Amino acid sequence: MGERDRLREYRGKRDFGRTREPEGRGAAGGEGPRFVVQIHDARTLHFDFRLQVDDVLKSWSVPKGPSGDPGDKRLAMPTEDHPLEYEDFEGVIPEGEYGGGTVIVWDSGTYEPLSHDRSGRPVDFDESLERGHATFRLSGSKLHGEYALTRFREERDGEREAWLLVKAGKSGARGHGTPDPHRARSVRTGRTLAQVAVEGDEG
């Protein structure tokens, strides 16, 4: 499936004459697959967790945000694929637009796919997501180490597909818990949600 097809749902939900979100025309670059975690103060305040898979960012809405404590299981609800350029998006989505509200880049960096089959052979990361379980190592400014995404509910009978995002390791291991989204600062500009809401897209 081509990049344009994979972004059809993303583009169909947005009026790019009103929102400054990227339309998605860039190509992958840099030192490896990327990840980004954005805080999104929309109808409900939540974190968006995105992993680069081929030419798009696979995306999940994580209400409580990722945790560095292996004992925390974070609900992660899949959303539409986003363009690679969305990794850098920070600003205000206009009221009335899909996802209207303020966005900051809470963390970003690279990740290493770790998924393998029962015999220990590496599995294509996109395939591991299709199967419902993917492991990976994050190297970000705030998030580090091995994490897993596991699907625990398929989409059927009116229920949405649902996943868990969990840090690998022993429960109770040292690590940050839930970040406070109101006090959190962008790794791009050092701004809070409140500052971006006042100042707009340019910091």
Side-chain angles (χ1 to χ4, degrees):
M1 185 182 296
E3 182 252 356
R4 184 161 295 276
D5 289 329
R6 295 182 75 169
L7 294 177
R8 183 180 299 152
E9 182 179 356
Y10 169 85
R11 292 194 181 105
K13 290 180 175 181
R14 291 161 173 84
D15 177 356
F16 294 104
R18 296 194 68 227
T19 181
R20 294 187 62 180
E21 295 168 279
E23 291 187 56
R25 309 203 182 279
E31 63 275 34
R34 305 285 300 173
F35 83 93
V36 63
V37 181
Q38 286 152 318
I39 303 177
H40 189 176
D41 189 7
R43 186 170 46 124
T44 59
L45 194 149
H46 62 278
F47 292 71
D48 288 310
F49 183 78
R50 312 189 197 281
L51 295 170
Q52 178 184 347
V53 180
D54 297 326
D55 52 10
V56 296
L57 294 171
K58 303 295 289 186
S59 300
W60 292 260
S61 172
V62 183
K64 292 186 176 181
S67 173
D69 183 342
D72 292 336
K73 294 180 173 63
R74 295 298 195 230
L75 175 67
M77 302 296 290
T79 62
E80 73 276 10
D81 293 345
H82 281 53
L84 298 180
E85 300 98 309
Y86 214 94
E87 177 191 352
D88 295 321
F89 177 72
E90 182 168 291
V92 180
I93 301 171
E95 185 177 350
E97 278 296 298
Y98 176 78
T102 307
V103 177
I104 65 171
V105 178
W106 180 72
D107 196 17
S108 65
T110 60
Y111 78 93
E112 177 189 357
L114 299 175
S115 298
H116 57 271
D117 62 20
R118 291 181 180 176
S119 64
R121 289 190 297 262
V123 174
D124 178 77
F125 196 72
D126 202 7
E127 181 182 342
S128 68
L129 288 172
E130 286 290 325
R131 293 180 178 182
H133 180 74
T135 57
F136 46 92
R137 182 177 293 110
L138 299 179
S139 298
S141 298
K142 299 173 182 176
L143 296 177
H144 305 276
E146 188 174 331
Y147 283 77
L149 274 164
T150 303
R151 184 171 55 224
F152 69 89
R153 187 176 69 212
E154 301 273 359
E155 182 176 2
R156 63 174 177 267
D157 300 328
E159 285 195 305
R160 291 179 58 196
E161 180 181 314
W163 296 63
L164 290 176
L165 174 64
V166 180
K167 176 80 161 61
K170 296 180 180 177
S171 180
R174 295 186 66 181
H176 68 82
T178 305
D180 181 345
H182 296 289
R183 299 181 64 182
R185 291 188 176 272
S186 162
V187 294
R188 288 190 63 238
T189 63
R191 298 185 296 170
T192 63
L193 282 167
Q195 288 172 322
V196 173
V198 171
E199 298 167 6
D201 296 351
E202 301 300 328

